[in-house]
Amino acid sequence: MTMDPVVGLMEQLRGVEGVMGPACKANARNYSRERAERINLMLAKIKALYGEIIQSQPTSLLGAGIVLRIVAGRMPFAHARYGDHLQRIADRLEQGRRLHADLVWLRALAQALLRDGEGKNGADLGQLITRAIAGIARPVVVYRAVLPPARRPPDWKHLALGPG
């Protein structure tokens, strides 16, 4: 099984953000041109990683949850009240739970954003939700080996009585 590309990109993003935070604090205390240039490179990397995440198709519940969290943070003001619901759905996805009601609600929200969302931004968010839905609706294959039934060892006292 291959790893979800969204999950891998998000791990890279967290790594860059983890390095950038202390670098910014150090640069605020004691300015260094070289450090400032490294921070600018990290900002460019973060921007590129977000772009890749938004273009990638999630292939797991975890990846779909990441995309929904991004959408929740970028909802237009008119639809901002849906951000909390998107966060709750993402929480359930991270726990490995997908509910049919969530899929129905997400499809309706995506359709509304695509149809009459806040211009291009709303349409883009509708497309992201549609991508997340594809990751959520993807069938999950669970492999379980079938073991032969356990055989009990023979009861020697019973065997001593002969066929019976």
Side-chain angles (χ1 to χ4, degrees):
M1 185 170 145
T2 60
M3 185 163 130
D4 188 322
V6 173
V7 175
L9 290 167
M10 195 60 165
E11 285 302 313
Q12 288 180 29
L13 179 66
R14 287 184 182 128
V16 174
E17 287 176 339
V19 172
M20 191 174 88
C24 287
K25 287 179 183 177
N27 211 36
R29 280 190 307 270
N30 186 15
Y31 179 79
S32 162
R33 182 181 173 123
E34 295 80 28
R35 192 180 306 122
E37 289 173 0
R38 283 195 308 268
I39 291 169
N40 283 335
L41 289 173
M42 285 186 266
L43 284 171
K45 179 72 173 171
I46 288 171
K47 182 179 178 183
L49 285 169
Y50 266 115
E52 286 183 56
I53 289 171
I54 287 172
Q55 295 301 319
S56 297
Q57 174 66 48
T59 59
S60 69
L61 298 180
L62 189 58
I66 290 168
V67 170
L68 290 180
R69 287 192 194 283
I70 291 171
V71 170
R74 289 173 171 72
M75 288 298 284
F77 182 73
H79 302 292
R81 64 185 174 275
Y82 301 124
D84 287 340
H85 197 62
L86 287 167
Q87 294 286 355
R88 286 194 298 276
I89 292 172
D91 289 341
R92 283 192 287 274
L93 294 174
E94 285 178 0
Q95 296 168 359
R97 294 176 34 223
R98 58 181 172 178
L99 303 178
H100 179 70
D102 289 343
L103 277 172
V104 171
W105 187 84
L106 286 169
R107 284 185 178 120
L109 180 61
Q111 197 172 42
L113 285 169
L114 288 168
R115 186 181 59 242
D116 48 42
E118 302 287 312
K120 181 175 175 1
N121 184 39
D124 290 346
L125 293 176
Q127 289 174 346
L128 281 174
I129 293 172
T130 302
R131 257 192 229 132
I133 290 168
I136 296 167
R138 205 175 157 115
V140 177
V141 178
V142 178
Y143 174 78
R144 294 190 178 151
V146 178
L147 300 174
R151 296 190 71 186
R152 295 185 0 223
D155 178 16
W156 295 108
K157 291 180 184 176
H158 181 70
L159 287 175
L161 297 175

